[in-house]
Amino acid sequence: MPPAKEEQNVDIVEKCMGVMGRWQILICVSVFLCKLPIAWHQLNIVLLAPPTEFSCAENMTEKCSSNCSDIVFDRSIFTNTIQMEWNLICDRSQLVNFAQTITMLGILIGNFIFGLLSDKFGRRNPLIWAVIIQLISGTATAFAPWFWLFLLLRFISAAATGGTMVTSFVLVMEITGIKWRTTLGILYQVPFNVGHLSLALIGYLIRDWHYVQLAITLPSLLLISYYWIIPESPRWLLALGQPEKAIKVMEKACRFNKLETSSITEDVHIYMKKHSIEQATGTFMDLVRTKSMRVKSISIFYNWVVCGLCFFGGAQYMGQLGGNVFVNIAMSAVIQIPGTIFSIWFMQSIGRRYTLMGSDFLAGLSFLLISFVPEDAHWPRVLLGTLGMFGLSVCFPTVYIYSGELYPTVIRNIGVGTSSMFARVGSMLAPFVAGLASYQPWLAPAIFGIVPLIGAALCYYLPETKNCVLPETLEDAEKFSRQRKGSVAPGLDSTIQFEARS
């Protein structure tokens, strides 16, 4: 390869501050901590509104009768839930589901809004704003005297949670060297699994929803330290034409990693001369403006719907395992961990596209086969459902990594935020699809099977991004799609391969 071409493909951030060092580890571990409250706020409905038994004080057989004037709740497991607090039973029971729908809607809005804010104002400040809003609104939720105020505060807290999700992930992607990007991008999901698992312990120790809400919110006080710890993304600073600020960040990283800093300024200035900044920041329309970007966006958006709809809906379809509610929560979390860990090996070995395609296919085929298994064949249905959930647990980290690598720096947060927004759309539809099983037993698993199979087919149109240099501008992204040899859709030129530099 000619020197000019080789120099052009060098990842300047990686060249200046190294692939992985103590600085990157410190920042990543700090950012990983925000995944715990992300899991807590997204899944806490299992403790705020668990299945609650109640009866009529008048010993009436029909406890939802209009003649029942006094409801008695079973407080042997939970001393107080939102059902007990606001009588969300009988004809008001659907308000519990509505509360969770509001949560997913808030995360959807937060993904999108903070995606836009992060591409305009940087990764660091929107992340800190989101943490502060999450802390204030989450704490206030615990003291809400009215259900509708509870919903409003829950929506705001969820929007902030969505903001921490998208900004934290993109920051990790942008400070990590190519060799470590896949591993850390997937390990970024593990704290979410741990947060989910810890809900079992929180619920076991705390049986009142007010204190549960405080227990999952107040630890975010520690995340205020982001103001002093988390830097701005040097990749974003360079893409926005702010090389001097980027140099300061990279010099600090090098000193912390005990690397030489003398050549950083010269290297960055040479890089900036060869990479004119034609566009300071992108917009939502840049995700679909060209044919190449439109095909990639549609394919990745749909696969996020697959994750949201089939993961949450599939788990709900499989139903409660029975027995101890806290054991059930722990088991549902443990199931996700092997898929997350295995996805590291899959993506490193066979790449992003085939990992996503294969996990989609495994999930889709497993759920589809359930439609043909008799209802009384319990264990075959459970086994197929478990295989399906394993496939979906591989899909989630893979689609996260894929989204961060497909889009250039100037629209990466918009791309990841919008993509994640489609997962929230899927998760809001999930309860309704799972409920179809009460009308036709085969219908829900059939939908949960067909939807991932379509996602697997759409993966054909996605370029392989394994070991790629992250595209910086929209022009880079267009070249990237054409140049990924052996990974392009029909009709696209694949004469030059986009090479990585370690």
Side-chain angles (χ1 to χ4, degrees), residues 412-431:
R412 186 166 294 121
N413 257 308
I414 295 177
V416 174
T418 305
S419 299
S420 184
M421 179 182 71
F422 278 88
R424 306 287 82 77
V425 172
S427 62
M428 286 190 289
L429 294 174

Side-chain angles (χ1 to χ4, degrees), residues 333-354:
V334 168
I335 290 173
Q336 304 171 31
I337 295 177
T340 301
I341 300 300
F342 273 111
S343 61
I344 298 176
W345 183 83
F346 289 143
M347 278 196 272
Q348 293 284 32
S349 300
I350 63 175
R352 282 68 161 141
R353 186 173 66 163
Y354 288 121

Side-chain angles (χ1 to χ4, degrees), residues 393-407:
S393 68
V394 175
C395 284
F396 246 126
T398 304
V399 81
Y400 249 112
I401 292 289
Y402 224 157
S403 300
E405 293 178 340
L406 280 174
Y407 294 111

Side-chain angles (χ1 to χ4, degrees), residues 427-444:
S427 62
M428 286 190 289
L429 294 174
F432 301 100
V433 176
L436 294 175
S438 61
Y439 298 97
Q440 290 290 343
W442 59 268
L443 190 54

Side-chain angles (χ1 to χ4, degrees), residues 98-112:
F98 183 63
Q100 185 63 5
T101 299
I102 285 293
T103 300
M104 293 302 180
L105 178 62
I107 292 175
L108 182 155
I109 299 298
N111 287 159
F112 184 72

Side-chain angles (χ1 to χ4, degrees), residues 279-305:
Q279 176 173 336
T281 186
T283 66
F284 170 78
M285 290 306 299
D286 290 318
L287 301 178
V288 293
R289 191 179 305 279
T290 66
K291 179 180 178 181
S292 171
M293 193 66 72
R294 188 159 53 246
V295 169
K296 288 190 294 187
S297 292
I298 291 174
S299 300
I300 206 70
F301 290 168
Y302 182 87
N303 272 282
W304 275 92
V305 173

